[in-house]
Amino acid sequence: MIVYIFTAVITVLLGLMVDNRLKVQRNMVSRQQMLNGLSLTALFLLLFAVSACRLNVGNDYAKYVEFMHLVNCDAFVPTEFGFNTIVKILYGISGFENYLLVFAFFAFFTILLFLAAIYGQADSFGFSFFLFMAFGYYFQSFNTVRYYLALAVAVIAIPYVLRREWVKFILLVLLGATLHKSILVVIPLYILAAFAWKKWQLAIAALFCTTFFFMQDFYLKVVVALYPTYEDTEYLEGGTSLVNIVRCLGVLVLSLLCYKKTVKEDRRNRFYFYCNLGALVMYVCCSFLPIISRIGYYLTITHIFFLPALLGGIENKKWKGVLTAGTVGAAVLYFAVFILMKAGGNGLRILPYETFMFHDMVPILSDVN
């Protein structure tokens, strides 16, 4: 726990030193540019070191080691061919089953893409990075490493959606799908969120959402058709997150208060608004779907950009200060609950933190058999 708190505090402090809206002058390197470079490098190295040096941290760590072993043996695995190809290449380069290198590879690119996305898209790098850490996205990337790299790809793809560069957007998503095919959901979801919806269209969408309550068997069959390995497993049990519902509701209330000034005529903020609204609908109406949080995260990840944009658009300094302080306090509380109550649970199991430098890997299924 101390490792995670230390990592979060130090990296957030480094992030606050970064000015991603700095105007670069030709043939001149300013002090702020140098500070940006040093801060970002130190921040990246710290995040990468903590992620890459872990051993058996994450509830699916041993399962991934087993998958890698099976890939190396040319046996069947339910993972996508992009992941399998990476494993074969890295194992081939190493000359042995170097699963630590594979986890380091995914950590490197996951962190790199998230930082690049935050630097390029955030109104304030420091604020957005703080939310990225406080909402637990970095620490949850210790689980389902394929998914979180795909999530990073989805975030990188958002500017293409906003610029209506659909071919580039779809090609990037298809690339991400070679790692985790759940990213394919962002093609319809992000395109829908990019529309300027009229009231009558929202009414039709709301009517459609009612089908989730009385056509659950149909939607579950669709999910099983897309994910055959989910059939007759605990993954079809569904479930939702009350915390995520409350978070989406809070963001919705704040965005409605700022709607006319900050959201209505701003294509980017309107996209974030509909992403949040879509996530709220999913968490409330689609709790029966397996691992709804994985779909929801593709939408709620935009909170790290949307909240700073909303708060930055408030003209009344008093209200801006109060709401900013409230947002920061809520994010810190969210992080505290995440670390104290969820991090060590079966769903995550990222506590206790262990490293290959001081611990040994537990036997995998193939070793036991």
Side-chain angles (χ1 to χ4, degrees):
M1 185 184 301
I2 294 176
V3 172
Y4 295 157
I5 294 174
F6 174 83
T7 300
V9 171
I10 296 301
T11 54
V12 167
L13 290 176
L14 288 169
L16 292 173
M17 298 180 188
V18 177
D19 180 6
N20 62 315
R21 293 305 171 194
L22 179 68
K23 293 183 179 179
V24 179
Q25 298 180 0
R26 290 184 178 180
N27 303 321
M28 183 180 296
V29 179
S30 67
R31 181 179 299 178
Q32 183 60 51
Q33 283 178 269
M34 294 178 64
L35 183 60
N36 280 359
L38 291 172
S39 298
L40 286 169
T41 300
L43 188 159
F44 172 82
L45 289 176
L46 181 55
L47 293 179
F48 174 68
V50 173
S51 183
C53 292
R54 75 188 192 279
L55 180 72
N56 200 30
V57 174
N59 69 328
D60 57 1
Y61 191 100
K63 183 184 292 185
Y64 265 107
V65 176
E66 171 74 10
F67 284 161
M68 295 175 203
H69 170 71
L70 294 175
V71 167
N72 196 46
C73 296
D74 295 319
F76 170 78
V77 287
T79 48
E80 290 78 2
F81 78 89
F83 172 80
N84 300 344
T85 301
I86 291 170
V87 171
K88 278 186 169 290
I89 291 173
L90 294 180
Y91 274 17
I93 292 173
S94 300
F96 66 101
E97 295 192 355
N98 191 351
Y99 54 84
L100 292 173
L101 180 59
V102 178
F103 282 112
F105 176 92
F106 276 85
F108 182 92
F109 285 101
T110 300
I111 297 166
L112 182 67
L113 291 182
F114 271 125
L115 292 182
I118 295 172
Y119 189 88
Q121 300 177 45
D123 287 349
S124 166
F125 180 91
F127 200 172
S128 290
F129 180 76
F130 161 73
L131 294 174
F132 172 74
M133 295 298 290
F135 289 155
Y137 290 111
Y138 166 69
F139 296 106
Q140 292 190 80
S141 70
F142 293 178
N143 276 301
T144 347
V145 294
R146 294 159 34 245
Y147 168 79
Y148 276 92
L149 182 50
L151 179 62
V153 172
V155 180
I156 284 287
I158 288 176
Y160 295 123
V161 177
L162 300 177
R163 294 197 295 264
R164 303 287 201 272
E165 297 178 9
W166 302 119
V167 174
K168 293 180 180 178
F169 165 64
I170 291 174
L171 288 176
L172 195 53
V173 170
L174 292 177
L175 177 63
T178 65
L179 300 171
H180 203 283
K181 58 187 174 184
S182 67
I183 193 178
L184 293 174
V185 301
V186 306
I187 294 179
L189 292 179
Y190 282 7
I191 291 175
L192 289 172
F195 286 166
W197 289 76
K198 299 183 184 301
K199 290 182 180 179
W200 66 269
Q201 292 172 324
L202 288 172
I204 293 176
L207 186 63
F208 170 77
C209 288
T210 61
T211 64
F212 291 123
F213 294 107
F214 57 84
M215 294 178 61
Q216 294 184 2
D217 290 340
F218 168 76
Y219 289 118
L220 281 173
K221 288 179 181 178
V222 172
V223 170
V224 171
L226 294 173
Y227 290 90
T229 55
Y230 282 1
E231 191 169 10
D232 299 325
T233 68
E234 71 276 8
Y235 292 121
L236 287 183
E237 293 178 0
T240 191
S241 169
L242 180 60
V243 173
N244 283 330
I245 291 175
V246 172
R247 185 173 123 193
C248 289
L249 278 173
V251 174
L252 179 62
V253 170
L254 180 60
S255 60
L256 289 175
L257 291 173
C258 305
Y259 190 81
K260 287 186 178 180
K261 279 278 186 181
T262 313
V263 178
K264 187 176 181 180
E265 302 301 328
D266 189 297
R267 178 183 293 177
R268 182 194 62 163
N269 289 340
R270 195 170 59 236
F271 170 80
Y272 297 153
F273 174 83
Y274 285 122
C275 280
N276 178 69
L277 184 61
L280 179 60
V281 169
M282 284 188 175
Y283 286 131
V284 173
C285 301
C286 305
S287 60
F288 64 93
L289 291 177
I291 318 181
I292 188 63
S293 61
R294 290 190 183 181
I295 301 174
Y297 279 3
Y298 284 116
L299 299 173
T300 60
I301 188 65
T302 59
H303 288 175
I304 68 175
F305 305 124
F306 194 27
L307 285 170
L310 289 173
L311 295 169
I314 299 174
E315 295 179 351
N316 187 298
K317 292 184 178 180
K318 181 179 178 181
W319 275 109
K320 183 176 182 177
V322 170
L323 291 173
T324 300
T327 300
V328 171
V332 170
L333 178 62
Y334 189 101
F335 178 74
V337 171
F338 172 79
I339 291 296
L340 295 174
M341 299 180 63
K342 292 183 64 178
N346 291 331
L348 287 175
R349 211 187 64 73
I350 61 173
L351 281 175
Y353 180 79
E354 296 181 351
T355 171
F356 67 85
M357 291 179 281
F358 304 109
H359 301 87
D360 296 320
M361 180 61 194
V362 298
I364 61 174
L365 186 61
S366 294
D367 294 333
V368 174
N369 294 336

